[in-house]
Amino acid sequence: MSTGLIALLDDIAGLAKVAAASLDDVVAQSTKAGAKAAGVVIDDAAVTPRYVVGFTAAREVPIVARIAWGSLKNKILFLLPGALLLSLFAPWAITPLLMLGGAYLCYEGAEKVWHAVAPHGASQHEAVVLAPPENPKALEDAKVRGAIGTDFILSAEIMAITLGTLPDVPLWEQAVVLAVVGIGITVGVYAVVALIVKADDAGLAMAAGERPISAIFRRRIGQPSGADLAARPVTQAIGRGLVVGMPWFLKVLAIVGTAAMVWVGGGIIVHGLAGYGLPEVEHATHGAAVAAANAVPAVAGAVEWLVTAAGSGVVGLVVGAALIPIVQFVVSPLLGLFRQEPKRHGAASD
């Protein structure tokens, strides 16, 4: 009996070693996949803050939380099982679905560029395509839906990149790595977004704070301490800098976010076309990027990335510009047929 117990304990120890090795593999694979998807993650962080601009300070964090929750559901409930099922039963469908999502990003980005260049025409287009919000709650809901929709495409790209790093990994490990990467990226991205949108409020509090050190320990009464007097000029200067600088930073981030949608969407289209036997655009962009990088070897990597992104951005703008009239005159009227409410009885006699 004691021999059997020892054998059982030995088997348990062996299983524990296997589980530990598997856990190490999952951590390593998750780290590798997260690094591969870093570019799209940065784009996601740049895109999201523009959906929060224009709302009261009290609604900023709740809106970010709603978008983050929608992003998490996108990844865990839809994209994770969808990616695994497609990779098992219909791998041929992954590229066209990604290209469809890329086209949506191109359209969104091109529409934002049009709004910056010709706001009147863009506003007329939006009035046709989008129903005007009836109240602030409807406006917030529309913004959240738009942010979650954009996040869905970027998240699909992240999941596709992650899955591409796991070609010879068991299915259960693929699922765990996708979940780890999805949750980790969502928490990281939206924590950064929350910090960005609340930075001006923090700056205002710092600029007005008379007891920066005492406030940390929740001592808000009495005379400022010596540490308060020493730290106050620095904290107030930082606070004023945040108050003045954050509006400009958010404007720059909005531009970066629009550019990110265009170049990510264009990049997906270019890569997809190459996969379908039309590699000319990808080859031309790569050739131009390599030539530019060779011209400045000191910063060759950065220049090659910039030229590649610019080439993808040009493709994204062209595709998005072509989609704007299609959405306005074809897609929107077709969707309107399904959105129309049936007439009430007696409406004809009113």
Side-chain angles (χ1 to χ4, degrees), residues 214-242:
S214 298
I216 297 174
F217 302 100
R218 300 184 181 277
R219 292 200 296 266
R220 306 180 190 278
I221 58 175
Q223 294 297 319
S225 66
D228 290 324
L229 295 175
R232 187 166 61 193
V234 176
T235 57
Q236 288 184 340
I238 294 173
R240 287 191 293 268
L242 287 173

Side-chain angles (χ1 to χ4, degrees), residues 201-319:
D201 293 336
L204 190 62
M206 291 173 68
E210 297 290 332
R211 302 177 178 83
I213 304 301
S214 298
I216 297 174
F217 302 100
R218 300 184 181 277
R219 292 200 296 266
R220 306 180 190 278
I221 58 175
Q223 294 297 319
S225 66
D228 290 324
L229 295 175
R232 187 166 61 193
V234 176
T235 57
Q236 288 184 340
I238 294 173
R240 287 191 293 268
L242 287 173
V243 171
V244 173
M246 282 310 298
W248 292 98
F249 177 75
L250 288 173
K251 289 179 181 179
V252 171
L253 200 61
I255 295 171
V256 172
T258 299
M261 283 194 287
V262 172
W263 81 58
V264 171
I268 294 172
I269 298 293
V270 169
H271 186 69
L273 290 175
Y276 284 117
L278 297 170
E280 291 79 10
V281 177
E282 187 174 54
H283 288 169
T285 302
H286 179 68
V290 170
N294 290 336
V296 280
V299 286
V303 170
E304 184 173 349
W305 181 87
L306 284 172
V307 174
T308 301
S312 299
V314 170
V315 173
L317 278 177
V318 171
V319 171

Side-chain angles (χ1 to χ4, degrees), residues 8-329:
L8 177 60
L9 292 174
D10 186 59
D11 289 341
I12 292 173
L15 289 172
K17 289 179 181 179
V18 172
S22 298
L23 183 60
D24 289 341
D25 289 342
V26 168
V27 172
Q29 294 286 359
S30 300
T31 303
K32 178 182 175 182
K36 284 277 188 180
V40 185
V41 173
I42 293 169
D43 296 338
D44 201 0
V47 167
T48 305
R50 68 183 184 85
Y51 289 99
V52 184
V53 174
F55 291 97
T56 62
R59 292 304 306 159
E60 288 174 343
V61 171
I63 290 172
V64 172
R66 289 182 64 188
I67 299 171
W69 179 240
S71 174
L72 195 60
K73 289 194 292 185
N74 281 344
K75 294 180 179 73
I76 303 303
L77 298 183
F78 304 111
L79 292 172
L80 191 157
L84 293 176
L85 290 173
L86 286 175
S87 67
L88 283 174
F89 301 110
W92 54 267
I94 293 176
T95 296
L97 287 173
L98 283 175
M99 291 179 71
L100 188 64
Y104 172 79
L105 289 179
C106 293
Y107 164 74
E108 282 276 298
E111 189 185 36
K112 297 298 178 290
V113 172
W114 187 24
H115 204 285
V117 175
H120 180 67
S123 297
Q124 289 181 328
H125 169 76
E126 290 178 356
V128 173
V129 174
L130 301 174
E134 299 176 356
N135 51 58
K137 179 66 166 58
L139 176 61
E140 178 180 319
D141 291 342
K143 286 276 191 178
V144 169
R145 283 195 302 271
I148 292 174
T150 300
D151 175 272
F152 186 90
I153 309 302
L154 294 171
S155 296
E157 179 74 359
I158 290 168
M159 291 303 207
I161 292 171
T162 302
L163 199 59
T165 66
L166 310 169
D168 302 318
V169 172
L171 182 65
W172 73 267
E173 194 169 324
Q174 290 181 352
V176 173
V177 171
L178 286 172
V180 169
V181 171
I183 294 171
I185 284 175
T186 302
V187 172
V189 165
Y190 288 99
V192 171
V193 170
L195 288 175
I196 289 172
V197 299
K198 296 306 292 182
D200 54 347
D201 293 336
L204 190 62
M206 291 173 68
E210 297 290 332
R211 302 177 178 83
I213 304 301
S214 298
I216 297 174
F217 302 100
R218 300 184 181 277
R219 292 200 296 266
R220 306 180 190 278
I221 58 175
Q223 294 297 319
S225 66
D228 290 324
L229 295 175
R232 187 166 61 193
V234 176
T235 57
Q236 288 184 340
I238 294 173
R240 287 191 293 268
L242 287 173
V243 171
V244 173
M246 282 310 298
W248 292 98
F249 177 75
L250 288 173
K251 289 179 181 179
V252 171
L253 200 61
I255 295 171
V256 172
T258 299
M261 283 194 287
V262 172
W263 81 58
V264 171
I268 294 172
I269 298 293
V270 169
H271 186 69
L273 290 175
Y276 284 117
L278 297 170
E280 291 79 10
V281 177
E282 187 174 54
H283 288 169
T285 302
H286 179 68
V290 170
N294 290 336
V296 280
V299 286
V303 170
E304 184 173 349
W305 181 87
L306 284 172
V307 174
T308 301
S312 299
V314 170
V315 173
L317 278 177
V318 171
V319 171
L323 286 173
I324 286 175
I326 294 174
V327 170
Q328 180 168 343
F329 297 110

